[in-house]
Each structure stands twice: as structure tokens, then as C-alpha cells.
Amino acid sequence: MYTGIGASAGIGIGSVVLVTEPSLEFKTTTVTDGEAEKSRFQNALEKTIAKTQAMADDMRERVGEKEAEILEGHMLLLMDPEMTGQIESCIGDALMNAEAAVEQTCNTFRDLFASLEDEMFQQRATDVNDIKTRLIKTLLNVEEVDLGNLPENTILVAEDLTPSMTASINAENVAGILTEIGGKTSHSAILARAREIPAVLSIPDITKKVENGMSVVLDGDTGEVFLEPEEAVVEEYKEKRRIFLEEKAALQKFVGKATVTADGHQVELCANIGKPEDAKKVVECDGEGVGLFRTEFLFMDRPNVPTEEEQFEAYKSVAQTLEGKPVIIRTLDVGGDKEIPYLNLPKEENPFLGYRAVRLCLNRDDIYRPQLRALLRASAYGDIRIMVPMITCLDEIREVKAILDELKADLDEKGIPYNNDIKVGIMVETPASALMADAFAKEADFFSIGTNDLTGYTMCADRGNPDVAYLYSSYNPAVLRAIERVIKCGKEGGAIVGMCGEAAADPLLAPLLLAFGMDEFSVSATSILTTRKVISLWTMDEAKEVAEKAMSLVTEAEVKEYLESVAKK
Ligand code: PEP
Ligand code: MG
């Protein structure tokens, strides 16, 4: 048995599909029969066109028209006689092998497009690169795993899972995910939970320990993984899966109910989302709003910054889907573990302590102003609230508010509608903002405690590093004291206080957060009903008693052990 980090609950039983990046190495050679080589190229071209068409159709059905159009653009390029003609000339005239001819020609076209200023040509350069890779893969007969078309009961095994990989998976057929890197709060984990796929991450060398077709049992809660398990283990875990699914079904009785403690104290229960499409899931899972929309996902997996118009449409659609319920949208939080290659950010010694989130945004008017303007415009369509990440000092939030005032004046002048009373809040996820919470409460309409980062920064432990994972725990008294202080200062200063870090969904911490007076919990859509149930099990008096005792303890182990001993099911 292997043990990794249980990152998305549920039991997975199935067979391995290994996803590894194939090598695309080839030699440039001289061919003797140019005509035969041309027909090998034609063959590969036809196959690539057919595959691209199928991908476009599938994308249209599962994601949307806009995404499908990108692939249709690829088809046009593949059918462009100028480019294919040049590839054939390289083969026919220079007797180059097809792989080399494709590479040389595509690189020439790519460099030509890339040298032109226009955004559309820059996009073309990326498209040409993409089709070059696909053509060479076809020529080399490199099989790509089609993540949208996996066999039933697949256990997907990869070194890491990128957000786009997780997004393209057809969840019905994926019984589980295993990776070599990542932790509970890494984005692959967050996405796996959103798609309700059991996942165990951070199992060293797992891609080398399995092969395609191998049978696997995994427990996304405990992090246990069995390769080629004995029949008795399979039976035991089938039973565990049955109980897990039964408990999940029983949660349906909390649909349509307010989120209240056993003695009637009501709190707000919202959900975290990464893409506009996720908003539907929030409504389906009975969320009372969106507590965190991580807008960086709109900026990822594409070649350039989304325009103000694209962002406006995305924010507006979430506001409309939520029909007047609160929607907290976080401005771009890039840097640290969230990379956006086209921003070409400098490599840093300590990216988590570096040029990221609001620090970058306040230096990049070209990126930040369109986002803020789009948010203001979309605020005319619902209860949008703006949240600024990675705040460490008051000047930052003041500067953001000053930009918002300028943008509002411009919208007024042009007669463009927006909500003039739009709430502006901050993520409290750095020790600096936690220590200054009293002062921030006077400047911010609301706080949302980001325990994923707050835990890391308070304990000086990277959230993705397995060697310091023992320190990365929100049960540490230092983290709990920070949380208690932030809630107390926020409330005293008149700010609404919520939490959107993963700790908000931790059943062991629920009595503490209630006792501290937290107003809003924001969890993944799939954790909404469990969180509502957990909250319903406590009275405020009981919660306060537990909090008092827990806050008198001085080590992480003591806190955890105590909270486990009083947990309610
Ligand atoms: C957090 O830090 O707790 C948070 C919610 O933000 P992210 O996980 O996106 O850094
Ligand atoms: Mg954060």
C-alpha cells in the first residue's frame, strides 16, 4: 500500500490510464522517394484534420462555442494551401523527411506571425505551434490520451494535473486520480473536488510504479492507494464506497434549508468557483452565493490577457446565474503557484514572497484597469463584490479604491450603468493583514480569510512541499489565533467576515469558526451540503465551550486530537 495526500474524498476502484508527456524527438533525414514521403504527410494531415474536427465538436458540446472556434481556426490553418504547399515543397524539392518539413515550415510561419504587433497575429503564432505539435505527433504515431474519451472506471495517473487537463476530463468515466505532486490546496485538488473525482496526490514516483490497465483502489479521504489489490481489499472498499455514497445521498435533506446552528444562529454558506460555468453547480448544490471566484482561471490556458469585454461577459454571466445572490469576485491572483506563461514574469528566488497578485496588478494598469472596469460594468447585473488578494498593507487597498473611483467617474461620464455602492473587500491571507485587521476593518467592506495562504505564511511552510507538510496545518495554535483575531477585529470594525480557504469546509474547525462569530463560509460547491449539516449539529454554547478549550491548547497535535474527540457526525 502507498499513502499520499487524500485530496478529494470518495473511493476510486478501477484501472490505470497513464498520462505522460510523450517524446517528440526525431532526426532530420534525406528521403529517397519524395512522392512517398509527400503521401505520408498527406495522410497525417488528413488524420490531424479529422481529429481536430472531432475535438471541436466535442468542445462545442461540453464547453462552449468560443472554445470550439479556437479549434476551428486550427482547421483553417491546417487546410491553408500556402502552408501545406510549402511543406510539400520542402519534401519534394529538398527531399526532407515530413517531420522536419513540418517543423521548418511551421516555425517560419510562427515567427512571421509572432513578429507582427497585432494581438490576432500573436494568437495565430500560438495556433501554428499547436498544430505543428499535433502534426508531428501524428507522423511519429505518438498516441495521445484523449481525456474527454476515457474508458469507464479509469484511474488517471499523472505526474501532475494541469487545470486544463482536469477541465477536459469526462468525470463520469474517471473513478480516481493519482499524481506525484500537489497537496490538498493545490489547484488540481480544488478542481478534482469540484468535479467530485476521488484523488490522492503527492505519491512519489507513482507514474513509474504503475502501468496501463493495472487495477487500483484508492481512498481520497485517507490517501491510501492499493496497486493490484487482493479481492478482499476490493470488497472492503466497495463497501466503504457504498457507505460514502449513501451518506452523500442523505445530505439531500439539507437542500433548500437555511444554514443555521441547532439553536437557530444563521450564517451564510457560499461556494468557491474557478470558471463562469461553475456558477451553475453552485445553484444546483444550493449555495447561497459565490464567496470566491478565482479569476486567474480566466487568464490561464490561453495565449493572452482576456479583454475587458470577455471579462465583462464572464462576470455578468455569473451574476445572472446567481440571480441577485452575492458574488465575490477576486481580482487577478497570479504568481506563487499560479503561473501565466504569456505574462513572462521574471523567475524569482521565492515566488510566494515575490511579485504577485495585487503587487503585480498595481504595477500593470494595462491588466488591472480592464479587469476592474469589467467588474464595475458587470455589477449592474447582480450583487457583485470586488475582493483584492494578497493584501499586506493599507496603501494597497487604498490605491485599488482610488482606481475604482477614477473608473466610476469615467463610467458616469459615458452613462454606463454600474452599482455605485459596490462592496470592496480584501483577502486576509498574510500575517501582515491579520495583524492589522483592526485598521483594515475600517477600509474594507468585508474580509475573506484565505487560510490556504495564511497557514503557509504563518507557519513559513510551502503548501505544496511534502517535506514541510507536517507544519502546514490550520490546527496550529498560531493560525487559529490569527483567525480568531481577524474575525474579532472585522466584526468590531463593521466588516462582514467570511472564509474562503479550504479550512472553511473542515468539520473539525466548524465550532471554532462559529464561536469566533464568522458570518460567511465559502467552500467548494460539492462541500455545501456537508458544511450545512455540520453547522446544524452545534449550538452556539457548545461551540463556544469547544473554542475556549481549543484556544487554551498550545500544540497542533493537542488541538487536532481535542477537536477530533468532540467532533459531531
Ligand atoms: C487562500 O489562500 O486561502 C485562497 C482561498 O486563495 P488561493 O487558494 O487561490 O490562493
Ligand atoms: Mg490565496
Side-chain angles (χ1 to χ4, degrees):
M1 186 191 72
Y2 296 95
T3 311
I5 296 175
S8 176
I11 306 292
I13 302 174
S15 309
V16 168
V17 172
L18 193 56
V19 187
T20 43
E21 239 347 280
S23 156
L24 291 186
E25 266 177 47
F26 64 86
K27 284 204 176 80
T28 303
T29 53
T30 307
V31 293
T32 43
D33 186 346
E35 284 313 305
E37 193 65 1
K38 270 195 220 167
S39 96
R40 195 167 79 85
F41 165 67
Q42 271 306 333
N43 222 329
L45 181 65
E46 275 161 32
K47 273 196 198 154
T48 311
I49 291 175
K51 215 162 148 196
T52 310
Q53 179 68 61
M55 277 162 68
D57 292 346
D58 185 52
M59 191 70 99
R60 179 170 296 107
E61 207 168 285
R62 287 194 301 119
V63 189
E65 186 60 40
K66 269 206 195 110
E67 288 75 9
E69 275 170 14
I70 299 177
L71 288 165
E72 270 169 0
H74 289 190
M75 306 255 303
L76 292 179
L77 274 171
L78 284 164
M79 290 188 277
D80 178 1
E82 210 169 314
M83 197 157 84
T84 52
Q86 202 159 312
I87 295 171
E88 290 197 331
S89 313
C90 286
I91 300 173
D93 304 342
L95 292 178
M96 222 180 236
N97 56 332
E99 289 86 349
V102 167
E103 169 145 82
Q104 181 176 311
T105 310
C106 287
N107 285 352
T108 311
F109 275 78
R110 179 199 60 198
D111 295 345
L112 179 75
F113 286 136
S115 68
L116 302 169
E117 279 288 302
D118 193 288
E119 210 179 90
M120 194 189 81
F121 288 118
Q122 297 290 329
Q123 165 69 50
R124 280 276 161 278
T126 317
D127 291 344
V128 172
N129 236 355
D130 213 341
I131 64 169
K132 175 183 83 176
T133 311
R134 289 219 295 280
L135 275 170
I136 294 178
K137 271 186 186 160
T138 315
L139 282 164
L140 293 173
N141 281 324
V142 171
E143 278 295 330
E144 254 185 298
V145 178
D146 178 0
L147 293 175
N149 231 335
L150 292 161
E152 268 179 43
N153 296 324
T154 291
I155 302 285
L156 208 63
V157 185
E159 197 186 316
D160 190 13
L161 220 52
T162 64
S164 65
M165 275 163 84
T166 322
S168 56
I169 288 168
N170 63 335
E172 305 85 72
N173 288 1
V174 181
I177 293 172
L178 299 177
T179 68
E180 288 184 3
I181 45 183
K184 257 198 171 79
T185 56
S186 66
H187 285 99
S188 45
I190 290 167
L191 287 164
R193 280 196 291 279
R195 309 209 62 197
E196 298 182 72
I197 306 172
V200 180
L201 313 184
S202 245
I203 318 161
D205 290 331
I206 190 70
T207 57
K208 296 190 193 78
K209 293 186 174 115
V210 298
E211 49 191 63
N212 280 321
M214 188 181 254
S215 78
V216 173
V217 164
L218 67 94
D219 184 336
D221 203 18
T222 60
E224 290 164 322
V225 179
F226 303 87
L227 304 183
E228 301 284 22
E230 287 175 10
E231 198 44 40
V233 174
V234 177
E235 288 309 314
E236 181 191 336
Y237 278 80
K238 274 190 182 158
E239 179 59 11
K240 280 195 181 174
R241 184 171 61 184
R242 192 189 60 73
I243 296 169
F244 175 81
L245 295 174
E246 209 172 81
E247 282 176 0
K248 200 166 132 189
L251 289 173
Q252 287 306 310
K253 73 167 191 266
F254 288 92
V255 172
K257 302 272 162 55
T259 306
V260 283
T261 58
D263 55 343
H265 172 79
Q266 185 162 353
V267 291
E268 203 171 30
L269 180 54
C270 298
N272 298 344
I273 63 170
K275 293 233 162 157
E277 304 85 79
D278 301 341
K280 281 197 217 94
K281 183 101 185 171
V282 178
V283 176
E284 270 164 41
C285 296
D286 204 27
E288 296 160 31
V290 167
L292 166 66
F293 176 179
R294 292 181 161 96
T295 60
E296 50 276 10
F297 286 105
L298 290 180
F299 289 66
M300 285 175 183
D301 295 320
R302 49 178 293 141
N304 47 24
V305 176
T307 61
E308 177 186 321
E309 215 46 42
E310 281 174 82
Q311 293 188 62
F312 165 67
E313 289 299 337
Y315 306 147
K316 177 176 143 189
S317 92
V318 176
Q320 288 177 329
T321 308
L322 268 292
E323 295 181 332
K325 291 183 180 138
V327 175
I328 298 181
I329 305 187
R330 177 172 78 184
T331 62
L332 183 63
D333 185 9
V334 61
D337 60 339
K338 298 159 188 152
E339 276 188 49
I340 299 186
Y342 60 81
L343 292 181
N344 291 322
L345 296 176
K347 277 261 163 285
E348 296 176 291
E349 285 284 331
N350 290 304
F352 278 93
L353 301 182
Y355 188 47
R356 54 175 299 202
V358 70
R359 304 168 179 191
L360 171 109
C361 286
L362 286 175
N363 213 8
R364 289 291 300 264
D365 268 356
D366 58 324
I367 297 174
Y368 209 31
R369 283 181 182 250
Q371 178 168 45
L372 293 176
R373 202 166 186 278
L375 284 167
L376 285 174
R377 286 172 55 205
S379 71
Y381 298 85
D383 184 5
I384 285 184
R385 304 172 186 186
I386 297 175
M387 175 153 77
V388 190
M390 268 301 289
I391 290 278
T392 49
C393 48
L394 279 141
D395 314 81
E396 290 162 339
I397 184 67
R398 287 182 180 155
E399 217 177 309
V400 175
K401 282 164 83 174
I403 301 175
L404 282 167
D405 285 342
E406 273 178 45
L407 295 170
K408 282 181 179 181
D410 180 58
L411 293 175
D412 283 336
E413 210 170 284
K414 298 196 168 77
I416 299 173
Y418 67 94
N419 172 14
N420 194 27
D421 293 323
I422 187 165
K423 289 191 167 65
V424 181
I426 62 166
M427 290 224 34
V428 181
E429 54 184 342
T430 63
S433 59
L435 288 167
M436 292 296 288
D438 50 333
F440 278 110
K442 299 194 182 98
E443 306 268 340
D445 295 316
F446 63 91
F447 289 168
S448 189
I449 306 175
T451 48
N452 304 345
D453 277 316
L454 186 60
T455 304
Y457 289 129
T458 302
M459 298 308 298
C460 302
D462 188 339
R463 58 164 114 167
N465 183 341
D467 294 331
V468 293
Y470 72 100
L471 289 169
Y472 184 87
S473 159
S474 307
Y475 306 128
N476 274 298
V479 181
L480 294 177
R481 286 184 192 192
I483 294 172
E484 184 182 28
R485 176 185 164 75
V486 172
I487 299 175
K488 189 165 152 277
C489 293
K491 304 279 289 183
E492 277 171 12
I496 307 167
V497 185
M499 178 180 284
C500 58
E502 294 300 304
D506 184 340
L508 296 188
L509 290 175
L512 269 60
L513 302 177
L514 288 167
F516 296 159
M518 203 165 83
D519 303 296
E520 180 240 10
F521 292 65
S522 192
V523 302
S524 64
T526 50
S527 300
I528 290 173
L529 296 179
T530 321
T531 307
R532 188 171 288 153
K533 175 184 160 186
V534 169
I535 289 171
S536 79
L537 300 174
W538 291 92
T539 65
M540 288 303 278
D541 280 346
E542 288 166 346
K544 281 178 189 153
E545 205 178 301
V546 167
E548 198 176 323
K549 169 79 181 154
M551 295 307 283
S552 71
L553 303 172
V554 288
T555 69
E556 191 261 358
E558 281 168 15
V559 172
K560 189 162 180 232
E561 195 188 337
Y562 170 65
L563 293 178
E564 274 167 352
S565 74
V566 293
K568 297 191 182 213
K569 281 224 169 175

